[in-house]
Amino acid sequence: MEKDIKFFTNGKRIDGRAIDELRNIKIEVGVFKRADGSSYIEWGGNKIYCAVYGPREAYPRFLQKSDRAILKCRYNMASFAVEERKRPGPSRRGVEIGKVTQGALEPALILENFPKCMVEVNIEVIQADAGTRCAGITAASVALANAGIPMKELVPACAAGKVEDKIVLDLCKEEDNYGQADLPLALLPRKNEFSLLQMDGDLTEDQLEEAIELGRKGCLQVYEIQKEALKKKYITGDVF
Ligand code: ADP
């Protein structure tokens, strides 16, 4: 829904960014003692923890697959994560985001090595400020690497969108709420394929192409930040 908001001033966006600029992103690896792998991401105003458990025996047992591990992804937003208190507990939105997160991450994992097992990804949004599914996928992928789950590659994610008929990268809260379109993407950088592509709003065919290309470039920048975070972890060797 569009609102009477001035999205651009002297070519800069509401938060001072250029149209192709990401918000600040900071990733920490290995933040929980009890999880097999974990991460913390700050992405603009988003603050998100991710804890990975497994591979371990899948339960309930009827979920087990004889030829590979299953991947379970749970997304939860704290009731204090948004301006007006969110109702705690499961929500349709949370279930949807858990499902698309699983779809985004699964093609990057080698689950065939662990029959009858499960790998569990828990994403906890402590503060939400637009783009939490992309930030969650980005953090989860790093936490999976930290857990030592065999992977073909990392999965960076990032949204593009449209405000005032301009294609912009990584929507902020006002752009997400009152802009014309939102296009969250997750990329498999080596394959150069998307494992998540959702769209909310209206884009012409040309705008869609432009948004996908801008989002792809954003994902590649996020990919560099993921790699740096992992290198930092393993080069300094901090262990909890
Ligand atoms: P994403 O966080 O992936 O962009 P949405 O498009 O569903 O997912 O949500 C956009 C933003 O709207 C969220 O990041 C959050 O800041 C806000 N939001 C989501 N759900 C709620 C809610 N129940 N109450 C208040 N704000 C919310």
Side-chain angles (χ1 to χ4, degrees), residues 32 40-41 45-49 76-82 123-129 132:
F32 295 130
Y40 170 63
I41 189 164
N46 293 310
K47 296 186 181 200
I48 301 173
Y49 283 102
N76 182 55
M77 199 158 84
S79 52
F80 54 82
V82 286
I123 294 168
E124 289 290 327
V125 180
I126 304 302
Q127 187 168 284
D129 197 33
T132 60

Side-chain angles (χ1 to χ4, degrees), residues 25 27 39 41 43 105 133-143 155-158 222 226:
I25 301 176
I27 304 176
S39 64
I41 189 164
W43 181 321
L105 295 169
R133 78 193 62 205
C134 291
I137 291 166
T138 299
S141 156
V142 167
V155 187
C158 179
V222 173
Q226 288 175 309

Side-chain angles (χ1 to χ4, degrees), residues 13 20 60 83 87 94 98 121 124 161 163 184 190 198 215 230:
R13 291 154 71 181
D20 59 352
E83 254 165 67
R87 207 172 152 200
V121 170
E124 289 290 327
V163 285
R190 286 175 157 181
Q198 292 184 286
L230 285 163

Side-chain angles (χ1 to χ4, degrees), residues 153-226:
E153 53 183 323
L154 290 166
V155 187
C158 179
K162 181 169 81 165
V163 285
E164 268 177 34
D165 294 322
K166 287 193 178 69
I167 301 301
V168 298
L169 186 65
D170 184 21
L171 303 176
C172 70
K173 188 78 173 64
E174 292 79 2
E175 292 170 339
D176 185 308
N177 284 12
Y178 307 114
Q180 296 161 309
D182 179 19
L183 189 90
L185 297 165
L187 182 70
L188 302 169
R190 286 175 157 181
K191 265 185 148 177
N192 196 22
E193 278 178 17
F194 291 107
S195 57
L196 170 84
L197 195 160
Q198 292 184 286
M199 192 176 122
D200 183 11
D202 297 314
L203 292 169
T204 65
E205 218 172 301
D206 286 349
Q207 287 169 340
L208 177 63
E209 255 176 50
E210 191 184 336
I212 289 177
E213 190 43 32
L214 186 61
R216 199 181 67 81
K217 286 186 183 145
C219 287
L220 290 175
Q221 289 178 53
V222 173
Y223 185 40
E224 293 306 313
I225 300 168
Q226 288 175 309

Side-chain angles (χ1 to χ4, degrees), residues 78-130:
S79 52
F80 54 82
V82 286
E83 254 165 67
E84 277 179 37
R85 182 177 178 279
K86 173 202 159 272
R87 207 172 152 200
S91 66
R92 287 172 63 115
R93 176 178 173 274
V95 172
E96 181 233 334
I97 298 182
K99 185 147 183 11
V100 299
T101 298
Q102 182 210 341
L105 295 169
E106 200 164 300
L109 303 178
I110 305 172
L111 296 169
E112 300 77 33
N113 293 4
F114 308 103
K116 299 189 175 176
C117 289
M118 68 179 178
V119 174
E120 259 185 277
V121 170
N122 296 279
I123 294 168
E124 289 290 327
V125 180
I126 304 302
Q127 187 168 284
D129 197 33

